[in-house]
Amino acid sequence: MRIAIISDIHGNYTAYQAVLADIKSQNIDRIVCLGDIITLGPQPIEVLNALRELNCIFIKGNHDAAILDPERAEEFEITEYLIPDLYWCRDQLTNADLKLIETFEATHEIVLPNGVVVLFFHGSPLSSIDIIQATTEPKLLDKYFEAQKATVFIGGHSHIQMYRRYGEKLILNSGSVGNAFKFTYSEGNVPSLLPWAEYMIISQSGNSLDVDLRRIYFDTTELLKIVAKSGLPGKAWWLRQYLQSAK
């Protein structure tokens, strides 16, 4: 079985197209989307419509929860300066779009053919706003994974790819399709983006479990042209991205 995991597309259809093209060349059996699909970027409807065609498993991220209930955006840890982008995105959605997002799951479990149990989530199995990183303290990991029967845990949210073994558990992060961060986000630190999209493939054959953390370059110049023409309130932040990589 080969499973592609995508996460944190954030309305960046240009990056998503590059990832989807790569997925189509990889002989994939299932696709799991870990959430934060449409907000922040200039192409929310394009992303959502394309995802509809995939028949994938959808996990609800904190941005997806906030798009359904924007008055509670701060509870979902949407930074204040991003709230105008949240409303801009919501104004473009239809009732059918919102109903689709309502169906997204908090977690999803897949049992591989060899019996290994994989649990998918956005932030942690407990909450979409938890952040699991390479430096997360063991006592927090114990809290997040207590009573879980899975041994492989796959999340998103941090926008940074990760492979971390913890005891008998394997903790993975697929990175971000549309917003790959240079450094871990911290309070007061406005993130900057890398000029590629990230996703993951896990494949199980016999007793072997392979993890492939993939990096796919996309046309950042084209994306910035789309941003410049859009009505996105936060376009200035996007237009500052990728400058270093262009030099």
Side-chain angles (χ1 to χ4, degrees):
M1 177 180 282
R2 287 173 59 79
I3 303 172
I5 301 100
I6 57 177
S7 188
D8 297 277
I9 304 171
H10 284 294
N12 184 345
Y13 183 62
T14 308
Y16 170 74
Q17 283 180 298
V19 165
L20 184 59
D22 192 69
I23 287 175
K24 287 180 176 178
S25 71
Q26 295 298 318
N27 192 28
I28 297 299
D29 299 300
R30 298 296 304 271
I31 299 175
V32 180
C33 180
L34 301 181
D36 281 10
I37 291 172
I38 55 177
T39 60
L40 298 190
Q43 304 154 296
I45 301 305
E46 292 89 339
V47 169
L48 193 60
N49 287 341
L51 283 169
R52 272 192 172 96
E53 300 175 2
L54 285 185
N55 189 32
C56 64
I57 296 161
F58 287 109
I59 303 298
K60 185 181 291 181
N62 59 312
H63 278 258
D64 307 316
I67 206 76
L68 295 173
D69 195 355
E71 295 298 319
R72 297 173 58 206
E74 290 187 11
E75 294 179 39
F76 300 117
E77 296 195 353
I78 308 302
T79 308
E80 184 177 358
Y81 66 81
L82 296 178
I83 291 178
D85 295 316
L86 182 74
Y87 278 95
W88 179 83
C89 176
R90 183 180 167 90
D91 286 344
Q92 298 183 59
L93 302 180
T94 66
N95 287 334
D97 295 332
L98 294 172
K99 287 191 176 298
L100 173 62
I101 297 169
E102 287 173 358
T103 68
F104 293 1
E105 304 173 71
T107 64
H108 187 88
E109 188 177 277
I110 290 179
V111 181
L112 300 179
N114 66 351
V116 170
V117 180
V118 184
L119 185 69
F120 301 91
F121 48 86
H122 183 70
S124 84
L126 303 182
S127 171
S128 65
I129 62 174
D130 291 332
I131 297 181
I132 298 174
Q133 302 178 83
T135 55
T136 298
E137 295 181 4
K139 64 181 180 181
L140 277 178
L141 297 180
D142 289 341
K143 172 187 171 184
Y144 295 151
F145 303 130
E146 184 180 12
Q148 297 287 348
K149 64 180 181 180
T151 55
V152 179
F153 297 87
I154 304 179
H157 190 48
S158 71
H159 294 218
I160 292 180
Q161 289 180 323
M162 182 183 69
Y163 183 110
R164 178 177 179 179
R165 187 177 63 77
Y166 183 61
E168 297 180 356
K169 301 175 177 64
L170 180 60
I171 308 168
L172 305 171
N173 191 302
S174 62
S176 172
V177 171
N179 268 196
F181 285 176
K182 282 188 179 180
F183 300 104
T184 302
Y185 171 78
S186 60
E187 193 66 34
N189 172 36
V190 178
S192 57
L193 304 183
L194 294 163
W196 59 72
E198 297 173 341
Y199 84 104
M200 176 191 295
I201 297 172
I202 61 169
S203 54
Q204 182 261 311
S205 177
N207 290 322
S208 173
L209 177 67
D210 294 328
V211 178
D212 185 0
L213 294 167
R214 299 183 69 80
R215 174 187 297 180
I216 310 298
Y217 289 87
F218 65 94
D219 191 341
T220 57
T221 300
E222 178 62 23
L223 172 63
L224 295 183
K225 288 179 182 177
I226 293 168
V227 169
K229 293 177 182 177
S230 75
L232 186 67
K235 71 165 77 175
W237 173 79
W238 279 97
L239 294 173
R240 290 194 298 271
Q241 302 305 319
Y242 314 121
L243 296 177
Q244 188 64 37
S245 62
K247 293 180 181 179

